[in-house]
């Protein structure tokens, strides 16, 4: 039997989820976990990725309010200086981004301007695939950049998942791996085996998983090992849910609830290196002002609450939050009080050990590419920074090329 082909086919068709175990109905992906994740130290660095899906309008997130070209391009959508939350004399945050403004003031936020890639694609799906895989459409896409990082970790027998995706949506391709299976969960409360009063399903499945498989049945052995790992992790998370008190300072928003869960898992000393969450809705072609304000308020307030929670738990110095979108919006507003698909946009980082402030400049509003901003920082340089300076691994093989890291860590400057 061809084990590689069989495993891929198994995961594509969903046989593994039905044959191995059944999770709560709200869990969107099979809990087929790698039982060979890194046995990590308690103080290892952790990455939390927040994906802003739809194309966040960077120019109305970090606002160049003193630039005449900005005011000309956006007669209806512009946000004036007196409304902005000051970064410096020329730029400010959107007024709804009080969370980011507070983190900047506390010395825990960094803004990387002008991030993108050559020959930008304005399709949501294609651009996000490029960000997730670091490959173009005409190149082989079999795994994501985080998935390749997970495969680079030493295999030492821990049952903890090396990465987790929290959310209803399809698992981000960035987490795809040929060898490591990353679970998707909606919440701690829902990551548990279903059971009823007459049958202890967990014990029954665990008993089946422990039954010796024929030596030549690679498929069955794969299902059994994955099932045992899933059961072990499910039990660990159920205990975490019971033991970790909930922090009541989080806003009542979906993103905040996801980050509250992440904070609890980090505090439980789960040996997970990457957590991935997503916030949808940034495709603001029409009636942008109110919708964009609500989205920015959600991401800013949730991130601030998360960092404050981690500080209270003594964990902020080993957690890095990265917040990105697949592209920005066009410089000029459209006729529907919105903005259309663009190119370069800022990427945000939050945490206890980052260099505070801005990295790079907002791209020129006069030197445009067919009405779009020109990027000056390749997103793969952002990834190289995270991989080499935070996750402490070589980035070239993971990114399929050599990209210079940014000065994101080190002596803080404001």
């Amino acid at each position: 039997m061809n084990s590689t082909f069989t495993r891929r086919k198994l995961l594509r068709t969903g046989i593994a989820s039905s044959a191995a175990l059944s999770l709560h109905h709200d869990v969107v992906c099979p809990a087929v976990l790698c039982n060979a994740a890194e046995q990590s130290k308690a103080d290892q660095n952790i990455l939390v990725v927040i994906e802003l899906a739809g194309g966040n309008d960077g120019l109305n997130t970090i606002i160049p309010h003193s630039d005449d070209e900005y005011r000309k391009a956006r007669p209806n959508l512009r946000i004036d200086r007196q409304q902005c939350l000051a970064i410096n004399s020329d730029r400010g945050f959107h007024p709804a981004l009080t969370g980011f403004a507070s983190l900047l003031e506390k010395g825990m936020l960094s803004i990387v301007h002008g991030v993108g890639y050559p020959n930008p694609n304005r399709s949501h799906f294609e651009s996000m695939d490029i960000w997730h895989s670091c490959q173009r459409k005409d190149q082989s896409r079999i795994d994501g950049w985080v998935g390749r990082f997970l495969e680079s970790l030493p295999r030492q027998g821990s049952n903890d998942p090396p990465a987790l995706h929290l959310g209803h949506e399809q698992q981000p391709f960035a987490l795809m791996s040929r060898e490591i299976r990353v679970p998707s969960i909606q919440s701690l409360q829902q990551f548990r085996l279903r059971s009823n009063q007459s049958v202890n399903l967990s014990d029954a499945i665990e008993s089946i998983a422990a039954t010796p498989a024929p030596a030549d049945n690679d498929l069955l052995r794969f299902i059994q090992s994955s099932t045992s790992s899933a059961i072990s992790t499910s039990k660990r998370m159920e205990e975490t849910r019971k033991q970790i008190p909930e922090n009541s300072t989080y806003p009542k928003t979906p993103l905040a609830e996801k980050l509250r869960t992440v904070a609890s898992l980090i505090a439980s000393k789960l040996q997970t290196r990457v957590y991935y969450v997503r916030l949808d809705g940034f495709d603001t072609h029409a009636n942008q002002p109110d919708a964009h304000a609500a989205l920015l308020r959600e991401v800013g307030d949730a991130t601030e609450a998360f960092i404050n929670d981690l500080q209270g738990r003594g964990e902020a110095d080993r957690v890095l939050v990265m917040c990105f979108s697949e592209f920005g919006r066009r410089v000029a507003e459209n006729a529907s009080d919105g903005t259309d698909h663009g190119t370069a946009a800022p990427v945000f980082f939050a945490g206890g050990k980052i260099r505070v402030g801005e990295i790079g400049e907002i791209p020129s509003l006069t030197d445009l590419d067919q009405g779009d901003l020109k990027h000056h920082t390749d997103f793969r340089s952002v990834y190289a920074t995270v991989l080499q300076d935070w996750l402490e691994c070589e980035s070239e093989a993971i990114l399929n090329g050599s990209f210079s890291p940014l000065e994101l860590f080190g002596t803080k400057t404001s």
Side-chain angles (χ1 to χ4, degrees):
M1 178 180 292
N2 185 320
S3 62
T4 302
F5 170 78
T6 301
R7 293 181 188 185
R8 290 180 186 169
K9 184 176 180 181
L10 178 71
L11 293 168
R12 286 197 193 105
T13 58
I15 294 174
S17 61
S18 59
L21 78 165
S22 175
L23 290 174
H24 190 282
H25 68 278
D26 282 324
V27 178
V28 295
C29 289
V32 182
L33 312 179
C34 175
N35 63 358
E38 180 183 16
Q39 185 64 46
S40 308
K41 297 179 181 179
D43 61 351
Q44 67 184 348
N45 287 342
I46 293 169
L47 173 66
V48 178
V49 180
I50 303 176
E51 178 184 302
L52 308 182
N56 177 45
D57 181 11
L59 278 179
N60 270 21
T61 301
I62 304 297
I63 300 158
H65 50 67
S66 298
D67 193 320
D68 289 339
E69 296 302 320
Y70 168 74
R71 294 194 293 271
K72 292 176 185 177
R74 299 191 169 192
N76 296 319
L77 295 186
R78 73 187 185 203
I79 299 175
D80 295 327
R81 178 175 183 172
Q82 61 269 26
Q83 298 174 277
C84 295
L85 304 173
I87 296 174
N88 57 35
S89 60
D90 297 320
R91 293 182 288 278
F93 290 108
H94 187 288
L97 265 177
T98 54
F100 277 11
S102 177
L103 287 172
L104 183 66
E105 186 176 347
K106 294 176 184 177
M108 303 187 78
L109 188 84
S110 181
I111 306 159
V112 183
H113 289 296
V115 181
Y117 55 88
N119 302 313
N121 190 293
R122 291 167 183 79
S123 160
H124 293 295
F125 300 106
E126 177 61 20
S127 190
M128 195 61 85
D129 280 351
I130 291 170
W131 276 80
H132 283 187
S133 67
C134 302
Q135 302 281 11
R136 305 297 297 224
K137 183 184 294 185
D138 59 351
Q139 297 172 301
S140 175
R141 289 177 180 164
I142 56 177
D143 49 23
W145 75 279
V146 176
R148 293 192 290 273
F149 160 69
L150 300 178
E151 289 182 353
S152 75
L153 296 175
R155 314 292 177 85
Q156 297 183 18
S158 170
N159 278 329
D160 290 349
L164 274 173
H165 163 239
L166 286 86
H168 286 288
E169 67 278 349
Q170 181 179 355
Q171 186 173 110
F173 190 79
L175 300 174
M176 184 61 64
S177 163
R178 289 168 289 184
E179 298 295 334
I180 307 298
R181 304 305 167 209
V182 175
S184 289
I185 65 174
Q186 182 188 343
S187 68
L188 270 185
Q189 290 82 352
Q190 291 157 342
F191 193 80
R192 61 181 184 271
L193 294 171
R194 287 186 293 178
S195 62
N196 56 44
Q197 295 181 351
S198 60
V199 178
N200 187 325
L201 184 59
S202 176
D203 290 345
I205 296 176
E206 196 163 10
S207 176
I208 294 171
T211 302
D216 61 348
N217 195 327
D218 182 72
L219 176 59
L220 181 55
R221 285 188 288 108
F222 172 68
I223 292 174
Q224 287 182 328
S225 64
S226 298
T227 302
S228 298
S229 181
I231 292 170
S232 174
T233 303
S234 177
K235 289 179 176 179
R236 175 91 175 267
M237 287 189 175
E238 181 69 7
E239 288 304 310
T240 295
R241 186 180 69 85
K242 294 176 182 177
Q243 295 173 8
I244 301 297
E246 290 194 349
N247 186 318
S248 61
T249 62
Y250 284 84
K252 300 299 182 183
T253 62
L255 180 61
E257 288 302 313
K258 292 176 186 177
L259 293 179
R260 185 207 302 267
T261 298
V262 172
S264 295
L265 292 173
I266 291 171
S268 76
K269 304 304 180 183
L270 196 71
Q271 302 302 308
T272 297
R273 300 299 307 275
V274 180
Y275 295 89
Y276 204 110
V277 300
R278 173 174 167 164
L279 179 62
D280 288 303
F282 286 87
D283 196 17
T284 51
H285 287 283
N287 303 315
Q288 176 174 311
D290 290 345
H292 195 226
L295 289 164
L296 292 180
R297 183 175 297 107
E298 181 169 358
V299 69
D301 290 355
T303 303
E304 182 190 16
F306 178 63
I307 294 296
N308 288 343
D309 189 1
L310 293 175
Q311 278 191 297
R313 299 175 190 265
E315 302 283 2
D317 282 354
R318 72 185 189 103
V319 178
L320 177 69
V321 177
M322 182 179 77
C323 184
F324 81 100
S325 193
E326 70 265 39
F327 46 61
R329 317 297 291 187
R330 292 181 72 80
V331 173
E333 65 184 47
N334 61 30
S336 302
D337 279 343
T339 50
D340 298 325
H341 299 177
T343 52
V347 173
F348 301 94
F349 287 94
K353 289 192 173 181
I354 57 174
R355 184 184 297 271
V356 182
E358 301 175 272
I359 297 176
E361 292 290 330
I362 292 180
S364 170
L365 298 187
T366 56
D367 181 17
L368 303 178
D369 180 8
Q370 299 180 355
D372 284 323
L373 299 174
K374 293 180 179 178
H375 84 283
H376 56 64
T377 299
D378 195 296
F379 75 92
R380 289 162 293 187
S381 286
V382 175
Y383 288 174
T385 307
V386 172
L387 290 166
Q388 293 178 200
D389 297 343
W390 188 251
L391 297 176
E392 298 180 325
C393 76
E394 293 299 323
S395 67
E396 188 167 347
I398 294 172
L399 303 179
N400 300 302
S402 179
F403 298 90
S404 299
L406 310 174
E407 294 185 1
L408 181 61
F409 304 100
T411 303
K412 296 188 175 185
T413 60
S414 55

